[in-house]
């Protein structure tokens, strides 16, 4: 069974750093890309970026470029989303999702993690 | 960025109704469009990919179609478990973009 299991909820203060994770199982981790999707409270879905774990190549949305870092450790089938300095506006649910690569933008997201709720408050 | 405009934003319907949700792309995305269902407190779930292909395990009452830059998700006979929010998403161009969502409510 394909699973993407995300790390737990986080409560942080503005200016703090954070790394959340997404561990894949039940499939060949390097055969699929992992994307991160933000959902702010009561709002819609926003694609943040993705990584090809086989080469650690990344692509970011301009809206998130420079504010977050996506990485992966294929030895433990895990992708990461990282902030060096959180802001209150980063409060949101963050989902990881997998897609096949194969052409420039990849394909649809066929499996999703359960989500990481990140709360940033002083 | 490609804008994905969904309509309506909210839809009130009854069990058994035929429901249609529309998503219009600001430019051609060919058929590189997916539909997702999201229930409160849950992650999105893939329903339709490549505009009209039904994801494995998804009931056949869900279908997708395309005409130019206008995409349609149809639920042929609304069931109680279908009350949720639906999102379209294009994966033809970076950045990948989602529609604003359509909430299907009980009438």
């Amino acid at each position: 069974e394909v699973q993407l299991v995300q790390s737990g909820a986080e409560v942080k203060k503005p200016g703090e750093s954070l790394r959340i994770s997404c561990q894949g199982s039940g499939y060949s981790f390097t055969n699929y890309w992992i994307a991160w999707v933000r959902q702010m409270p009561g709002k819609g879905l926003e694609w943040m970026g993705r990584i090809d774990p086989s080469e650690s190549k990344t692509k970011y949305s301009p809206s998130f470029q420079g504010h977050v870092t996506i990485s992966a450790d294929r030895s433990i089938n895990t992708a990461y989303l990282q902030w060096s300095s959180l802001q209150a506006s980063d409060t949101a649910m963050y989902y990881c999702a997998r897609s096949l690569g194969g052409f420039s933008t990849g394909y649809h997201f066929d499996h999703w993690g359960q989500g990481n709720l990140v709360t940033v408050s002083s | 960025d490609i804008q994905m405009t969904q309509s309506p934003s909210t839809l009130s319907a009854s069990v058994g109704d035929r429901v249609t949700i529309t998503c219009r792309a600001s430019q051609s995305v060919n058929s590189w469009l997916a539909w997702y269902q999201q229930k409160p407190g849950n992650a999105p779930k893939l329903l339709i990919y490549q505009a009209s292909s039904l994801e494995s395990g998804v009931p056949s009452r869900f279908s997708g179609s395309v005409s130019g830059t206008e995409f349609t998700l149809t639920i042929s006979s609304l069931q109680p478990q279908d009350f949720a929010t639906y999102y379209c998403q294009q994966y033809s161009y970076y950045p990948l973009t989602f529609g604003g969502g359509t909430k299907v409510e009980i009438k």
Side-chain angles (χ1 to χ4, degrees), chain A residues 33 37 39 43-47 50 59 61-63 95 103-115, chain B residues 1 32 34 36 38 41-46 48-50 55 87 89 91-100:
Chain A
W33 297 353
V37 176
Q39 187 166 39
K43 301 298 184 183
L45 304 169
E46 302 173 90
W47 179 80
R50 61 88 175 150
K59 183 75 174 178
S61 165
S63 298
Y95 294 102
F103 75 109
S104 62
T105 53
Y107 290 90
H108 48 277
F109 301 134
D110 64 349
H111 284 85
W112 294 66
Q114 83 276 18
Chain B
D1 298 4
W32 301 121
Y36 302 91
Q38 187 178 34
N42 286 78
K45 172 189 171 185
L46 176 68
I48 301 284
Y49 61 94
Q50 215 164 318
E55 172 69 350
Y87 294 94
Q89 179 232 340
Y91 48 101
S92 185
Y93 295 99
Y94 285 125
L96 309 189
T97 46
F98 290 87

Side-chain angles (χ1 to χ4, degrees), chain A residues 23-80:
Chain A
Q23 184 172 42
S25 63
Y27 72 99
S28 177
F29 188 68
T30 52
N31 284 355
Y32 290 81
W33 297 353
I34 295 289
W36 288 94
V37 176
R38 183 175 79 173
Q39 187 166 39
M40 299 179 78
K43 301 298 184 183
L45 304 169
E46 302 173 90
W47 179 80
M48 303 174 70
R50 61 88 175 150
I51 187 164
D52 174 357
S54 68
E55 302 178 312
S56 287
K57 285 188 176 178
T58 55
K59 183 75 174 178
Y60 293 92
S61 165
S63 298
F64 295 92
Q65 179 93 48
H67 187 56
V68 298
T69 301
I70 297 172
S71 60
D73 183 343
R74 56 182 184 265
S75 70
I76 54 171
N77 293 350
T78 300
Y80 302 99

